[in-house]
Amino acid sequence: MSAPDLLDRVLSDLRACRICRDAPLDLPPLPHEPRPVIQASATARLCIAGQAPGTRVHASGQPFTDPSGVRLRHWLGLDESVFYDASKVAIVPMGHCFPGLDAKGGDKPPRRECAPIWRPRVFAALPAVELVLAIGRYAQAWHLGRDAGANLSQTVANWRATLERPDRPRILPLPHPSWRNNSWLKRNPWFEDELVPVLRQEVARLVG
Ligand code: SF4
């Protein structure tokens, strides 16, 4: 089966997934209809490994249609036309459906069911990906395994060594672009001074 055909089959299966609604593992069922969000093609060389849709993305069905997306595109140096060009950029969250809100009104973590079921199949159908941007601690734990730091700050601070690992695709850890991380960004000015310029170079090279 060709890579595009394989991906078509995976995406078709993924978009029909109801596991968290109908057969959750050890969590309450998803309190709304599943709406899996993903952007992918067999030619994309850059992959954004995000967290999970929030309420706005759940409503739009398109990843990063929220203020986090505005900041992320700024970090990447991409406008919307390239960011949403699936032939160039894959966007594969750790949980494909909006997980609901917690008692404080924040987004719940990505559903634990999702990554083990879908991530191996999705990435097997993305043969062109050269760089994965691991956004937030869930994506970093998955993509870096034991090489992830004890917390997000450690993991992102170690970005140069992570980027130089011989594994393919390469991994670059990033904080989540949410406003909730504004104080982290203020405390860590090296992120925008040192990491973001390298990030933009890598992204420009990969999306042309
Ligand atoms: S979050 Fe993932 S596993 Fe759960 S219903 Fe959505 S696609 Fe399926």
Side-chain angles (χ1 to χ4, degrees), residues 134 136-137 139-141 144-163 171-175 184 190 195:
R137 61 191 178 96
Q140 289 158 14
L144 292 174
R146 290 182 180 177
D147 286 350
N151 52 48
L152 181 134
S153 294
Q154 270 190 19
T155 305
V156 180
N158 200 33
W159 66 275
R160 288 185 195 277
T162 301
L163 195 57
I171 312 290
L172 181 58
L174 302 178
W184 187 94
W190 54 265
L195 193 159

Side-chain angles (χ1 to χ4, degrees), residues 32 35 37 50-69 93 95-101 105-110 176 178 180:
H32 46 260
R35 188 178 194 189
V37 172
Q51 191 153 304
T55 49
R56 293 191 200 204
V57 172
H58 180 60
S60 73
Q62 192 174 29
F64 288 105
T65 49
D66 54 14
S68 293
H96 289 281
C97 297
F98 172 49
L101 299 176
D107 292 342
K108 287 183 174 175
H176 197 281
S178 164
R180 292 175 188 276

Side-chain angles (χ1 to χ4, degrees), residues 14 17-20 30 34 36 95-97 111 113-114 117-118:
L14 170 62
C17 181
R18 297 183 53 83
I19 288 171
C20 296
L30 207 61
H96 289 281
C97 297
R111 293 289 300 207
E113 295 91 334
C114 202
I117 294 169
W118 290 112

